[in-house]
Amino acid sequence: DQQVKQNSPSLSVQEGRISILNCDYTNSMFDYFLWYKKYPAEGPTFLISISSIKDKNEDGRFTVFLNKSAKHLSLHIVPSQPGDSAVYFCAASANTGNQFYFGTGTSLTVIP
Amino acid sequence: ETGVTQSPTHLIKTRGQQVTLRCSSQSGHNTVSWYQQALGQGPQFIFQYYREEENGRGNFPPRFSGLQFPNYSSELNVNALELDDSALYLCASSLQGSSYEQYFGPGTRLTVT
C-alpha cells in the first residue's frame, strides 16, 4: 500500500526554467513532509521540509507547497541548474516522526 | 563533523544465508533508522533505534533485526535471506527531537543469489 506517490518517474527541464515536482499522499494523519535529493552512489540528502501548519516553505531556490485538502505537495526549483539533476524523493511522517514513508522518486534532468 | 558511513559497500550472499550490515552515525546523533530500497522504489522503513532500544518498526518480518551500540553505531541483521531481499540498504542518523532531519549514508548494495 503506497501511501506516498510520485506519479512522474522523470522530468526534463531547460536550465534557468522552473522545475515542479509533485507528490500525493493518502494518509490524513501525515503532518510533516520532506523532500530529499539523491545522486547516484550516494544516500539521499535532506533538501527542505514543511509541517502541516504551513502551506508554503521557501529556502533559496527551493519552495515546497502543501495543499492539505488535496493531499498534495509540490517542490518548485527556480531557476533550475544542471547540478539539480538528481532523483527527488518526497517523504511523509505522522506525529512521532520515527517512521517516514517515501515516494518512488522523480528523476529530474536539467538540460544546459 | 563525520557523516554517516556504512559497510560494506557491496555484498553478495546466497539464499538462506545470514548477513550483517553496519552503520556509523553522524557525530552527535543518537538515533538510527534503517531503510530498504528496492530497484525503482523509494526507501521503505525497516526500524529505528534510539538509545539502544527499538523505537518503531515497519512492515518487515522478524528475520530483520537490529542493534544499536553505546556509541550509537548500529547493525542490521537479516536471517534466512530470500531473493527479494536484494536491495540497497540505507541507514540514516538523526538527533531525537530533530529526527525529522535524517542524514543518510551511501548504502550497502545486497545481492542475494
Side-chain angles (χ1 to χ4, degrees):
Chain A
D1 179 28
Q2 192 73 24
Q3 298 190 52
V4 178
K5 299 176 184 178
Q6 293 176 257
N7 293 318
S8 297
S10 63
L11 175 68
S12 290
V13 171
Q14 289 285 339
E15 182 179 2
R17 306 293 280 267
I18 185 170
S19 296
I20 300 176
L21 296 95
N22 294 303
C23 179
D24 297 293
Y25 61 96
T26 58
N27 189 339
S28 57
M29 297 299 293
F30 288 151
D31 60 0
Y32 203 84
F33 305 88
L34 306 92
W35 284 93
Y36 283 87
K37 179 166 77 170
K38 186 179 187 300
Y39 293 119
E42 295 182 12
T45 303
F46 170 76
L47 195 56
I48 192 169
S49 63
I50 188 167
S51 105
S52 59
I53 62 172
K54 294 185 174 182
D55 53 20
K56 176 183 173 181
N57 189 26
E58 196 170 349
D59 183 2
R61 297 185 297 113
F62 302 92
T63 303
V64 56
F65 294 92
L66 175 62
N67 182 334
K68 290 184 287 294
S69 61
K71 294 191 180 69
H72 176 84
L73 64 156
S74 61
L75 174 68
H76 292 209
I77 306 173
V78 56
S80 301
Q81 300 174 352
D84 296 329
S85 297
V87 177
Y88 289 79
F89 292 99
C90 69
S93 173
N95 296 328
T96 63
N98 68 352
Q99 181 164 353
F100 289 85
Y101 296 85
F102 281 77
T104 52
T106 296
S107 178
L108 172 66
T109 302
V110 179
I111 303 163
Chain B
E1 189 176 76
T2 307
V4 178
T5 60
Q6 292 186 243
S7 62
T9 306
H10 295 91
L11 201 53
I12 300 174
K13 288 286 190 177
T14 304
R15 190 170 49 183
Q17 286 187 317
Q18 178 266 343
V19 70
T20 297
L21 310 181
R22 294 179 175 83
C23 172
S24 291
S25 303
Q26 181 156 315
S27 178
H29 286 182
N30 56 16
T31 302
V32 174
S33 303
W34 283 92
Y35 293 84
Q36 180 195 66
Q37 186 179 8
L39 201 60
Q41 301 296 314
Q44 284 203 18
F45 177 76
I46 303 175
F47 43 57
Q48 183 184 83
Y49 277 81
Y50 169 59
R51 291 187 176 176
E52 303 177 57
E53 297 285 334
E54 188 176 290
N55 185 42
R57 188 179 183 95
N59 190 25
F60 280 81
R63 58 189 187 83
F64 285 78
S65 63
L67 280 174
Q68 188 181 31
F69 300 98
N71 66 354
Y72 303 130
S73 65
S74 176
E75 286 182 357
L76 165 65
N77 298 290
V78 187
N79 293 322
L81 283 166
E82 300 177 0
L83 297 179
D84 284 350
D85 295 334
S86 295
L88 180 68
Y89 288 84
L90 295 162
C91 81
S93 73
S94 58
L95 194 58
Q96 191 73 2
S98 301
S99 60
Y100 294 116
E101 292 189 19
Q102 300 181 88
Y103 294 82
F104 283 83
T108 293
R109 172 71 62 187
L110 172 66
T111 302
V112 182
T113 61

